[in-house]
Every structure is written in C-alpha cells, then in structure tokens.
Amino acid sequence: MQAELFDELHEHGFHVRAAELGENVTTRGVDLLALPKGALLQLGDTAVIEITGLRNPCRQIENFQPGLLAAVLERTSDGRVIKKAGVMGVVKEGGLVRVNDPIGIKLPPPPHQPLEGV
C-alpha cells in the first residue's frame, strides 16, 4: 500500500498508519496503482513481489473507521470505480525487508495490462 494514501486520508480527517489496514508493505514514491499486472518490485537486496492486481477493500474497513471505505474508492466522470487501497502480489523471492530499503521496479514486456481488482 502506498503511504501517500495515508496522507490523503489524513487530509480528510482519517487517522490511519502503516499496517493498520492489513498491508504487508508500505511504499512511498512508487505509484503502485499505475503499475501494470506482472510488474516486479524488488524490496531490499533479494525480495521480489509480482503485482497481480488491485486490492479490493471490503466493508470490514468500516469497523476500523466509519466512512473509510468510501474514502479509499473514487469514481471517474464516466462512473468507473478507482480502488486506491493498494495492490496485491505474489512473493517470487523471499528476503529480509527493512524500513527505508530501496524499491526497484521491473515492468513486464508490452503490451501492459492495467491492474484489476482481485
């Protein structure tokens, strides 16, 4: 999940910190939602995560803070739903991941497929 989402939520009166929404990794400076399906994130020296889709926020998020579900969803002018609650992935290579480790991105070969909810 992108730390920028926490910043945005804070601007709307929500108080959410890393790991409180069940995410395993929090990033900053990486536009996770814009990555294509199959993109690889290298975390630290050896860990590699393959991005598989958009995280689908569920109604349980309302138990954490009322109104939060609506805050992590947006609609475009044409009615399309934008899910901002992070991405899902599969661990391809394990490894130690530490705070402030660099994040490398390797895109899959084109054509790129946009992320969809999983």
Side-chain angles (χ1 to χ4, degrees), residues 5-45:
L5 177 61
F6 302 138
D7 301 339
E8 179 183 330
L9 292 172
H10 183 76
E11 291 175 10
H12 295 287
F14 296 98
H15 301 285
V16 182
R17 295 179 306 204
E20 290 185 333
L21 297 180
E23 72 278 8
N24 295 311
V25 175
T26 304
T27 65
R28 183 168 292 281
V30 177
D31 190 355
L32 294 174
L33 305 180
L35 292 174
K37 184 176 180 179
L40 300 175
L41 297 182
Q42 180 163 346
L43 308 173
D45 293 331

Side-chain angles (χ1 to χ4, degrees), residues 44-78:
D45 293 331
T46 59
V48 177
I49 309 297
E50 180 179 353
I51 302 302
T52 58
L54 294 172
R55 187 172 183 214
N56 193 20
C58 70
R59 295 200 176 274
Q60 290 181 356
I61 201 170
E62 288 295 302
N63 296 334
F64 182 67
Q65 289 183 38
L68 196 53
L69 180 60
V72 298
L73 298 173
E74 280 185 11
R75 288 200 180 270
T76 62
S77 59
D78 64 357

